[in-house]
Amino acid sequence: FTEMMAHGGQELKFPLGPDGRYPGLWGQALNERQGFYTNTPSAQPAEVGCQEGRVAVERFLAVPVLLADQLIGLIAVANAERDYTEKDLDLLVRVAMPCAQAIKVVRAAEERERLMAALRQSQKMEAVGTLAGGIAHDFNNMLTPILGYTDLVMARLPPGDTLHQELKEVKKSALRAKDLVRRILAFSRQKGQELVCMALHPVLGECLKMLRSTLPTTIVFHEDL
């Protein structure tokens, strides 16, 4: 928590001190969590808090903004033309209360939006998984005859035929595609999670394979499993 006061287009920051308390006149209201005012700042044991060269604080009034006992802000004014009174303090306390409620409403709205964004992302990933599963099944159906007919042709060729090598390359590529389909199906599967003992090396290897297929070729992986 850091208080800031605009001055001359700049900001004054008042962070926690080494003792875990806020220094200066601003810190007194924050540390005690109750309103505070003084018309003789120089007589206060706490330092005023302004850096050298800043406008001198002659009178000071501050009220912490609390939300369910949580310190979330500070309202401070200074250098009125007359001395501050209890009436001024009470007025600033009444100003702080709706400020705290407004912050509460904003925070609730932000949290609601965050949860809604997380829900939308979850639904999007579920839709992507369903789509990927459907495509993978169709692709798998296309790979089956490619692999099957490649094996049939290779079995019918006489030993030493030059087509063996070409067909081996076809089969190798089809097997790589089949492995990719298997990983896509694993990604799209929707079932409950369970804790099991497993070897990490194969899992990391699968992750690296998936990364290689999705990232630019300019990125090089160095494995040390």
Side-chain angles (χ1 to χ4, degrees):
F1 180 86
T2 303
E3 279 308 308
M4 301 182 184
M5 183 177 72
H7 178 73
Q10 299 178 350
E11 291 177 333
L12 296 177
K13 298 185 179 181
F14 302 92
L16 282 170
D19 57 355
R21 292 172 63 82
Y22 294 100
L25 292 175
W26 288 264
Q28 183 158 339
L30 295 171
N31 296 326
E32 303 301 327
R33 298 199 174 194
Q34 61 182 11
F36 160 76
Y37 74 92
T38 177
N39 295 303
T40 55
S42 58
Q44 297 297 316
E47 295 180 2
V48 171
C50 277
Q51 300 172 7
E52 186 177 351
R54 302 289 183 181
V55 176
V57 177
E58 299 174 354
R59 301 175 187 83
F60 183 78
L61 170 62
V63 169
V65 180
L66 301 173
L67 184 59
D69 294 329
Q70 179 187 5
L71 184 62
I72 59 174
L74 178 75
I75 300 177
V77 295
N79 294 354
E81 294 182 355
R82 57 170 177 77
D83 287 350
Y84 292 116
T85 64
E86 288 291 331
K87 184 178 180 180
D88 298 317
L89 179 61
D90 180 63
L91 177 62
L92 205 58
V93 168
R94 283 186 282 170
V95 170
M97 293 174 61
C99 287
Q101 290 302 316
I103 293 173
K104 180 179 180 180
V105 170
V106 170
R107 286 186 175 180
E110 290 175 347
E111 178 65 12
R112 184 166 58 251
E113 179 58 31
R114 187 189 67 80
L115 292 174
M116 289 299 297
L119 176 60
R120 288 193 294 269
Q121 181 64 19
S122 175
Q123 292 172 335
K124 185 191 300 181
M125 292 302 297
E126 183 179 353
V128 169
T130 302
L131 178 62
I135 294 174
H137 276 296
D138 290 339
F139 193 51
N140 209 31
N141 291 337
M142 293 183 238
L143 285 174
T144 300
I146 294 175
L147 288 167
Y149 281 110
T150 300
D151 285 336
L152 286 174
V153 173
M154 290 175 66
R156 291 174 182 174
L157 289 175
D161 194 301
T162 55
L163 286 178
H164 269 286
Q165 188 58 39
E166 284 82 352
L167 290 171
K168 282 183 181 179
E169 291 300 321
V170 172
K171 184 175 181 179
K172 187 189 298 184
S173 295
L175 288 174
R176 283 202 300 268
K178 183 178 180 180
D179 186 55
L180 178 61
V181 168
R182 180 181 58 80
R183 294 200 298 272
I184 293 174
L185 287 173
F187 165 76
S188 65
R189 225 171 263 129
Q190 298 173 13
K191 61 179 182 179
Q193 297 181 355
E194 56 179 331
L195 297 176
V196 295
C197 293
M198 61 188 303
L200 290 179
H201 285 192
V203 177
L204 293 174
E206 291 292 323
C207 291
L208 288 175
K209 287 181 182 178
M210 184 68 77
L211 284 173
R212 282 197 184 95
S213 63
T214 56
L215 294 178
T217 55
T218 52
I219 297 177
V220 179
F221 291 97
H222 297 282
E223 301 175 27
D224 183 16
L225 301 179

